[in-house]
Every structure is written in structure tokens, then in C-alpha cells.
Amino acid sequence: MDASATPAPEGPQRPLSTTERADYERLRRAAGMRHRRLRYVVTSVLLVLTFVLAPLGVVAAWADSQISDTDRYVQTVAPLAKEPSVQGALTNRLTNRVVSQIPTEQITDALTRALQETGAPPAVVDKADALTGVLKSSTTRVVREVVNKVVTSDQFAKVWDNANRRAHAAMVNVLTGQGGSAVEAKGGTITLNLGTVIKQVQTKLVDAGFEKASKIPDIDKSVVLVKTDKLNKAQDAMRLLTIVGVWLPVLVVVLAALAVWVGPSHRGAMMSAGFGIGVMMALLLIALAVMRSKYLDSVEPKVQSPDAAAVIYDDLVQFLQQSTRTVLVAAVIVALAGYLYGPGLGARWIRSASVRGTDFAGRGLARVGLRTGATGRWLDGHRAWTTGIAIGAGVLTLILWNYPTPGSVAVVLGLALLVLVLLGILAGARTEPAPATAGPPPTDDDN
């Protein structure tokens, strides 16, 4: 043992002097201030990351669902087959392509030569060329009627759904730029192959008396769905979002939870997270509207009709908009919940009114004999725990819900509030109210 070591003094320590106590308090406040400032910095960084990644998380979840879920993909594109503007665009495109393959000029030329060989009057021969326009117009009208019947039929809608279900891998091709399926992305154009539909049109034309339709050569069977010079950049962004897939939304939730946990004021951090995510969702909805306007402005009428282009865009992004609104509603609820648990006058009044209301209802049950006894007393003593469990169950339900909507958020919120009201009533019915008395109970001195 080192003899030079000074043993610690035994016995009670002397109290700190006034100067020492002041120095100690000053050092403790400084350390606490530094610790609090550090927590503020960490919380701010976490919240900023949450706000920046929240829109990307929503888009990533939407992209992942469109690629991995066949039913979701078919549900997205199925309405296009029944949209009048899309049906009209397909009818016009298919009619023009079919009529362009019918040799009306050759028919009139052959008629002119036949009239000349039979010695018809020159006036009749000269008028034969005028039949070209009439023949083409009549042919176009008949072909359009046949094509329109095919495109607007229930059979076409079924073929559309089945083709899209079998070609679900085409969505991957759109995002990666690969080909080899019904939907292909080449350069700045996304096209849909309508070979099956054209075969049906040819069959209908043959049945209608156009035997030559069976000999129509192999024509271009692709229809332009989207044409934009931003496709390559969009494909790169979508590849990145597809890679992060499910994990980016999870990361956003984890970052928000860490911000609330680290924050010096948990309630303040929760309100900030809800408000910030709500603002970002609103900005994402605005960005989608701006993108829609820019896309429609960039579509050339010769490539696609404006009405059909608008329907296609709205249909493709409908679930993205729905998810964004869902997160926006959830964020607003989180911010409001943080406020209601705060010290504000309005929040205190709402909490007090809720407790008084449930207690009043519970006492009413107790008066008629429906008392909860020990269970009610336990619920009354553990209101914070039961409230947290009810809210946590609601949050877990939304997390496990497959593609929640604003309506589903409202339903879960309503059920959570109903559970909280029922728990409050059960707590209020813990014992029968004491009967009112005119004065204090008698004592021994009164005898």
C-alpha cells in the first residue's frame, strides 16, 4: 500500500459554505444549460431531417406499392379503360391507323381503269377520282363505329385488366427504361402496346364485311401514354426511391420519434414534428398540382389529347395524392394532440370538461347500481397509462393498416376517442356517490 496516499476523511462532511454553495449552483446551472442547448441542437437536426425526408418517404412508399403489389397496380390502371376521353383517344388512334392501311386510292384508280377499258364516257371516267374522298370518308365512319364498339365494350375492359395484370412487370420497365412488355419506356416516351386490341378490331371488321381487313399488314401497335423530356431524370429518381422502398418511411418515423424523445420538451417536439410534416405534405400536394400543369402544357395535341393526358396523369398519381393527404391528416392530429396536452387555457378547459363529463356519466351509472369498484379505482389512478395505451393502439393500427386513407385515419381516431370516453366513464363509476347531508355528522360531544 502506498504510504503517501492520503486516506479519505471519515465521518460526516462539513456543510458547504455560502461561497461554495453559490459556486456549486453556478456550475450546475452552466452544465444544465450546456446539456439543454445540446439537446436543442440534436432535436433540431432530427426534425430537419424528418421534414426533408417525409415527402420522399411518401413518394417511395407509393413507388414501391405500384411495383410490388399487382392488385394495387391493376387498381390504378383499370379505370383508364372506362374513361370516355381515353376511349375517344384510343378510338381515334386505332381508326386512323386502320384506315391508313386501306388502299382507297388504289381502289379508285382500279375503277378508273376499268371504266376506261369498258368505253365509259369521259365525263364518267373523270368523276371516278372524286370517289376517293367519299370512299375514304365512308370507310372511316364504318371503321370508327366498329373500333368504338370494341373499345367501349365490357370485353375490352376485361382484356385491359387481364393484360395489365399479366404485364405487371411492365411497371418495372417504365422505371428502369427496359423494354419487352406491354408498357415500354424509350427516350422520353412511355408507350402501350395494343396488339391484342388491334386483332379484335380486325376480326370485327371482317365480320362486318371488310374481308380485306384480315390482310392488313403489321402496323405500329403502340399508343403514347406519356411524352416528356424529363423521363430520364424521373427514372433515375424512381430507381433511387425504389431501392429505399419501405425503409425510408420507417426512417422518417424513427427520426421523428427520436426528436420527440431527445427534445427538452417532448410535447413541444411532438407539436413541431406534426406541424412540420403537415407543411411538407401540403407542399407536396402543391408540387403535384404544379407538375400536372407543366405536364399538360408540354403534351402536344398531335401526340395525345389534353383530356386523355389529364385523365392518365390523375389516375397514375391518385394513390400518391391519397397517401399524402393521409399523412397530412395524421400530422395535424399529432399537432393537435400535443396542444391538448399542454398548459394552454383552451387545452386545460377541454381536458377539464372531458373529465367532468365522463365522471358525471360514471356517477350516473353508479347511482343505478352499475359500479366498477376496484377496477374503476385502478382506471382512475392510471389515467395516463390507459390514455397512452389507447393512443398507442390507434397508432399501431394505422401502421399495420394496408394503405390507410384519410377516412381510415378518421375511423381510428374516432374509435380511440370512444375508448377513452368509455374508460373515463368506467373510472367515474368506481364508487357510489355519497348522499348529500344538511350538516356535519354528529360527534360524541353532541350526546
Side-chain angles (χ1 to χ4, degrees), residues 89-399:
L90 291 176
T91 299
N92 293 335
R93 189 66 55 82
L94 291 173
T95 299
N96 293 335
R97 291 180 179 175
V98 171
V99 171
S100 65
Q101 302 300 319
I102 298 178
T104 55
E105 294 182 357
Q106 295 180 11
I107 294 174
T108 55
D109 290 343
L111 177 60
T112 300
R113 289 194 299 269
L115 290 175
Q116 289 175 346
E117 291 174 358
T118 56
V124 175
V125 175
D126 294 338
K127 296 295 184 180
D129 292 338
L131 294 176
T132 302
V134 177
L135 180 60
K136 188 170 185 178
S137 176
S138 300
T139 304
T140 302
R141 178 177 56 79
V142 175
V143 172
R144 185 182 302 277
E145 291 178 357
V146 174
V147 172
N148 186 66
K149 288 181 180 179
V150 173
V151 172
T152 59
S153 65
D154 294 336
Q155 184 181 4
F156 172 75
K158 294 178 181 179
V159 170
W160 177 279
D161 291 348
N162 293 333
N164 278 284
R165 185 173 295 277
R166 292 192 303 268
H168 175 248
M171 290 301 296
V172 179
N173 295 336
V174 172
L175 297 176
T176 59
Q178 298 176 356
S181 64
V183 180
E184 298 181 353
K186 296 180 180 178
T189 304
I190 300 176
T191 59
L192 174 65
N193 191 300
L194 294 174
T196 304
V197 178
I198 292 178
K199 289 295 183 182
Q200 290 186 12
V201 171
Q202 289 179 332
T203 302
K204 293 288 185 179
L205 289 174
V206 172
D207 295 340
F210 287 87
E211 298 180 359
K212 296 294 184 180
S214 61
K215 300 180 180 180
I216 295 177
D218 190 16
I219 60 176
D220 184 10
K221 303 174 183 178
S222 61
V223 175
V224 175
L225 294 179
V226 179
K227 186 173 184 179
T228 173
D229 56 355
K230 304 296 183 181
L231 179 59
N232 292 332
K233 294 181 179 179
Q235 287 174 339
D236 294 338
M238 292 301 290
R239 290 190 192 100
L240 177 61
L241 292 175
T242 302
I243 292 173
V244 296
V246 178
W247 295 110
L248 186 56
V250 173
L251 178 61
V252 172
V253 174
V254 171
L255 289 174
L258 286 176
V260 173
W261 179 64
V262 174
S265 172
H266 301 318
R267 186 185 64 86
M270 184 175 71
M271 291 180 62
S272 299
F275 179 79
I277 293 176
V279 170
M280 296 305 294
M281 294 302 103
L283 292 177
L284 178 57
L285 290 174
I286 295 174
L288 290 175
V290 173
M291 289 174 59
R292 182 183 188 274
S293 177
K294 290 184 175 296
Y295 162 66
L296 295 180
D297 291 340
S298 65
V299 174
E300 298 180 4
K302 294 182 180 179
V303 176
Q304 186 62 276
S305 68
D307 292 339
V311 169
I312 292 172
Y313 179 89
D314 293 338
D315 191 75
L316 291 177
V317 302
Q318 61 172 321
F319 290 117
L320 176 56
Q321 292 174 329
Q322 177 179 284
S323 299
T324 305
R325 295 190 188 101
T326 301
V327 177
L328 174 59
V329 172
V332 171
I333 293 174
V334 169
L336 288 177
Y339 168 75
L340 292 177
Y341 277 91
L345 181 62
R348 292 201 307 269
W349 183 87
I350 292 175
R351 294 199 303 269
S352 177
S354 300
V355 173
R356 288 197 305 268
T358 53
D359 282 347
F360 179 80
R363 289 193 297 270
L365 292 178
R367 289 191 185 95
V368 298
L370 299 176
R371 293 185 291 274
T372 54
T375 301
R377 289 190 293 272
W378 186 89
L379 290 174
D380 181 62
H382 298 80
R383 289 179 183 265
W385 278 98
T386 55
T387 300
I389 292 174
I391 295 175
V395 173
L396 181 61
T397 300
L398 288 177
I399 292 176

Side-chain angles (χ1 to χ4, degrees), residues 392-424:
V395 173
L396 181 61
T397 300
L398 288 177
I399 292 176
L400 298 179
W401 195 302
N402 191 23
Y403 306 124
T405 64
S408 61
V409 174
V411 169
V412 172
L413 175 63
L415 291 176
L417 292 177
L418 178 61
V419 170
L420 292 177
V421 170
L422 292 177
L423 292 176

